[in-house]
Amino acid sequence: MAQVKPQVARFDPIWQTIREEAQEIARDEPLMASLVHAGILHHDSLEKALSFRIAQKLASSEMSDLILREIADGAYAADPSLGVAARADILAVYERDPACHRYLQPLLFFKGFQALQCYRIGHWLWGHQRRELAYFFQMRTSESFGVDIHPGARMGQGIMIDHAHSIVIGETAVVGDNVSMLHSVTLGGTGKEDGDRHPKIEDGVLIGAGAHVLGNIRVGHCSRIAAGSVVLEPVPPCKTVAGVPARIVGEAGCAEPSKMMDQIIAGA
C-alpha cells in the first residue's frame, strides 16, 4: 500500500507576521478586534484578505462587495503573480515609509497600497479583455482613494505610493520595479494624440511630491525627480532633475534613491 506523504505547509513569512500583529492588536485594543478579525484573522491567506479589503473599499450601490470579492478571488487564483506583487509592495512600504511600523498597516490603513492592489486587479481584467469591468475598478478606485491609474498602465513590483493623494497614471505609462512616488504625481500625456503617449519609469526611480512627467519619455533607472518638477525630456540613469521645465542638477546621490527616499538636492 502506497504511503501518503505529509503535506508541508506553505511558508509565507509576511502573511504570518501580519496575522501575529493582528492577534496582538485584537488583544491590546479591543475596539479594533472586530476589524482585524474580519479583515485578517478570518482569512487563510493574504490573497483572501486582499480580496475582502478591496471589496469592502470599492463596493457601492452599483456593485456589491460579494461580487467584487468574487472577482478579486478569481484574479488571485488565476494569477499568482498578483499576490507576489502585493507582498513586494507591503515590504516596500514597511522599509521606506517611516510612518509604517507594522506589516498589516498598508493592508488595513494605507490608501496608496490599497489603491495599487485595486489597480492590479483592474489590470488583470484589462489583460483578459474584460475592459468595461476594468474601467469600473479604475473609477471606484479613483472615487475611493483619489488615485487614478488606468488599468492599461503597467506597474512593476515593490512600489510605494506615499500618501497617494491625487496620483494620475495614464494608459500607456510603464513603471518599473522598486519605484517610490509621493502624492500629486502625474505620469501623463501632452495632448489628445492616441497611441503610446505616456512616460516610461525605469527601476529604482524616486518621484517627489507634485512632480509631473509628461509624454512618451524615459526616466532612467535610479534617478530622482525633485518635488514640483515638470519633466518634458528624457532623464538619463542615476541623475537628479529639478525645475519647471526640469533640468539635470546633479547625480542621484545614492545607488537606490527609491529606497533611501532622500529628496535633498546637494548644494540647493
Side-chain angles (χ1 to χ4, degrees), residues 14 83-93 96 157-159 178:
I14 291 178
V84 172
R87 288 167 174 80
D89 296 338
I90 288 173
L91 279 174
V93 177
R96 300 174 209 169
Q157 300 179 5
I159 293 176
N178 299 315

Side-chain angles (χ1 to χ4, degrees), residues 173-243:
V174 178
V175 177
D177 295 335
N178 299 315
V179 168
S180 295
M181 65 183 75
L182 286 88
H183 54 282
S184 300
V185 164
T186 298
L187 305 181
T190 57
K192 58 183 294 183
E193 73 278 3
D194 202 355
D196 195 354
R197 60 196 185 277
H198 295 104
K200 311 298 180 280
I201 310 298
E202 294 187 353
D203 298 349
V205 171
L206 171 61
I207 308 177
H212 304 295
V213 187
L214 305 178
N216 184 13
I217 60 175
R218 186 167 296 275
V219 176
H221 67 270
C222 297
S223 57
R224 294 191 301 175
I225 299 173
S229 298
V230 178
V231 183
L232 302 174
E233 300 291 337
V235 178
C238 305
K239 299 294 183 182
T240 294
V241 298

